[in-house]
């Protein structure tokens, strides 16, 4: 006799699927808010979206407190628009030509128009944030947006930089990716009336979760295939981004191997995958990155302690287990 799946056994976002459909409808409404000459470009970017992770997190946190109001969905829409703006700019910087199996905005229309498109999405999202009754919510959204942009600047500045430490790397990805996850969970808690300590813990749940997600993405850039992942890969290597697996490799490689890698980095040569896989410690470098991310997921689960016990809280726990499963698949 087959076992009936409980809510926590299903993919965690299934629980909020009806709410995410409302988020999608709201995003379509926002597209129509743009000038008719601009609308097709915005629509294209919005229709090549992912799983809507940030809106789902906002809604799950609201549900955990029994306060699934329109404000959590609105927050999700705002953060998703900011996220899409960062993706447009990321693809320009990385020279990526596909994302989720379709051409990127810069591949279709060039860098100039795509920069302006990303700017339009950013500014529209921040305008929406001013509609919250509590001005501190708008300030928190603005702070998260600034941190994302700062993270991108610092990451671009530190490419091919051999002095980059793991602490530097973590700070960059906390800003670049973790900030919007943290905004989704922390601000949603504030909207639900959580006390300051609980809001702080949920903020850190999102920050850690976003950091782990970026470590997973960095590992996937090395071990994934474009056919399965649906976007241009190896751009980290080509552009000299020193991700956690690469930093692990530099740390554990032999002197001759490190000299070889350092020479390529100093000369700003692409870190070709064939060069990396020839190093004995390559697999161990990825293993170590996965281990680090799994430890962070344990801390995420600790951040959820004290929340009401319900299906939404169970789903927040399940997200960490689901991401852990994806990380395990990166092991060589």
């Amino acid at each position: 006799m087959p076992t009936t799946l409980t809510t926590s056994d299903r993919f965690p976002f299934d629980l909020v699927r009806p709410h995410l459909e409302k988020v999608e409808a709201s995003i379509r409404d926002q597209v129509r808010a743009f000038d008719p000459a601009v609308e097709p470009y915005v629509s294209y970017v919005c229709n090549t979206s992912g799983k809507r992770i940030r809106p789902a997190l906002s809604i799950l946190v609201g549900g955990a407190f029994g306060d699934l109001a329109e404000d959590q969905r609105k927050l999700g829409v705002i953060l998703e628009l900011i996220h899409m703006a960062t993706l447009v700019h990321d693809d320009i910087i990385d020279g990526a030509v596909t994302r989720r199996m379709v051409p990127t905005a810069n591949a279709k229309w060039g860098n100039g128009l795509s920069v302006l498109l990303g700017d339009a999405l950013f500014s529209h999202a921040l305008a929406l944030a001013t509609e919250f009754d509590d001005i501190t919510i708008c300030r928190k959204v603005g702070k998260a947006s600034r941190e994302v942009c700062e993270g991108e600047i610092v990451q671009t500045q530190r490419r091919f930089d051999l002095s980059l430490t793991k602490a530097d790397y973590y700070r960059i990805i906390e800003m670049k990716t973790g900030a919007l996850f943290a905004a989704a969970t922390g601000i949603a808690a504030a909207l639900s009336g959580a006390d300051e300590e609980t809001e702080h813990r949920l903020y850190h749940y999102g920050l850690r979760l976003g950091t782990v997600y970026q470590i997973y993405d960095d590992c996937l850039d090395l071990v994934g295939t474009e056919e399965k992942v649906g976007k241009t890969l190896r751009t980290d290597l080509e552009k000299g981004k020193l991700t956690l697996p690469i930093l692990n490799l530099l740390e554990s490689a032999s002197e001759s191997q490190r000299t070889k890698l350092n020479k390529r980095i100093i000369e700003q040569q692409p870190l070709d995958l064939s060069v990396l896989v020839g190093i004995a410690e390559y697999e161990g470098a990825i293993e170590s990155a996965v281990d680090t991310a799994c430890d962070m997921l344990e801390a995420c689960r600790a951040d959820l302690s004290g929340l009401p016990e319900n299906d939404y809280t169970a789903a927040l726990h399940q997200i960490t287990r689901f991401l852990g499963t994806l990380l395990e698949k990166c092991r060589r």
Side-chain angles (χ1 to χ4, degrees):
M1 182 176 177
T3 303
T4 302
L5 290 177
T6 66
T7 300
S8 60
D9 290 325
R10 301 199 306 263
F11 182 71
F13 294 170
D14 287 350
L15 180 63
V16 295
R17 192 67 56 199
H19 300 283
L20 289 179
E21 289 172 0
K22 292 181 180 179
V23 167
E24 291 291 344
S26 181
I27 289 174
R28 288 194 295 272
D29 289 342
Q30 299 312 315
V31 169
R32 290 190 287 272
F34 285 85
D35 185 279
V38 178
E39 184 181 332
Y41 300 103
V42 178
S43 178
Y44 180 83
V45 172
C46 291
N47 287 334
T48 56
S49 61
K51 296 182 177 67
R52 306 302 193 202
I53 296 173
R54 294 147 198 84
L57 288 171
S58 297
I59 294 164
L60 285 171
V61 169
F65 288 99
D67 183 36
L68 255 177
E70 180 60 32
D71 277 350
Q72 280 87 4
R73 287 193 291 269
K74 184 175 182 179
L75 173 65
V77 170
I78 290 167
L79 296 179
E80 197 65 8
L81 290 173
I82 294 170
H83 172 58
M84 287 187 284
T86 66
L87 294 184
V88 171
H89 288 164
D90 276 356
D91 288 338
I92 296 167
I93 294 167
D94 292 339
V97 295
T98 60
R99 181 175 289 278
R100 302 185 182 105
M101 303 293 190
V102 299
T104 57
N106 50 295
K108 283 180 70 69
W109 302 303
N111 291 348
L113 190 147
S114 298
V115 168
L116 297 173
L117 177 57
D119 291 346
L121 288 167
F122 258 122
S123 57
H124 187 68
L126 295 176
L128 285 178
T130 65
E131 296 176 6
F132 284 109
D133 293 335
D134 185 351
I135 189 63
T136 62
I137 300 299
C138 182
R139 288 173 182 158
K140 289 173 182 176
V141 171
K143 177 177 177 289
S145 302
R146 187 195 68 215
E147 286 181 343
V148 172
C149 294
E150 287 175 342
E152 290 291 352
I153 291 170
V154 176
Q155 183 178 66
T156 301
Q157 178 191 39
R158 300 297 298 273
R159 288 180 178 184
F160 295 101
D161 184 351
L162 287 171
S163 68
L164 188 81
T165 65
K166 288 184 182 179
D168 295 330
Y169 165 82
Y170 292 134
R171 182 59 189 138
I172 287 169
I173 64 175
E174 281 178 357
M175 290 190 291
K176 179 174 159 317
T177 304
L180 289 186
F181 279 66
T185 52
I187 297 175
L191 289 169
S192 299
D195 59 61
E196 188 174 335
E197 180 186 349
T198 304
E199 180 187 345
H200 182 75
R201 283 195 288 106
L202 281 166
Y203 174 90
H204 280 279
Y205 167 86
L207 186 67
R208 293 187 227 271
L209 194 73
T211 301
V212 170
Y213 189 82
Q214 186 61 57
I215 292 173
Y216 165 67
D217 199 55
D218 290 345
C219 291
L220 200 62
D221 191 71
L222 292 174
V223 303
T225 62
E226 292 189 5
E227 294 75 17
K228 291 183 179 179
V229 176
K231 67 176 182 178
T232 306
L233 295 179
R234 317 294 180 246
T235 56
D236 289 348
L237 297 174
E238 293 170 3
K239 300 298 181 180
K241 292 182 185 177
L242 301 184
T243 60
L244 185 57
I246 300 300
L247 291 172
N248 286 340
L249 189 61
L250 286 167
E251 190 177 79
S252 62
S254 68
E255 190 61 36
S256 62
Q257 291 166 340
R258 190 180 299 110
T259 299
K260 183 178 180 181
L261 283 173
N262 286 349
K263 183 175 184 296
R264 296 182 74 90
I265 293 169
I266 290 169
E267 294 176 356
Q268 298 196 7
Q269 298 178 31
L271 298 176
D272 188 79
L273 191 61
S274 62
V275 174
L276 298 179
V277 296
I279 296 176
E281 289 81 3
Y282 171 70
E283 292 185 7
I286 294 173
E287 291 270 339
S288 179
V290 170
D291 288 341
T292 298
C294 288
D295 288 342
M296 289 185 185
L297 290 176
E298 285 293 335
C300 281
R301 289 186 273 273
D303 289 327
L304 298 175
S305 62
L307 289 185
E309 293 185 8
N310 56 37
D311 285 344
Y312 294 94
T313 301
L316 290 169
H317 279 280
Q318 178 66 1
I319 289 170
T320 67
R321 292 190 287 272
F322 181 79
L323 188 49
T325 300
L326 292 179
L327 280 161
E328 291 297 330
K329 293 179 180 178
C330 291
R331 296 190 191 274
R332 304 295 290 185

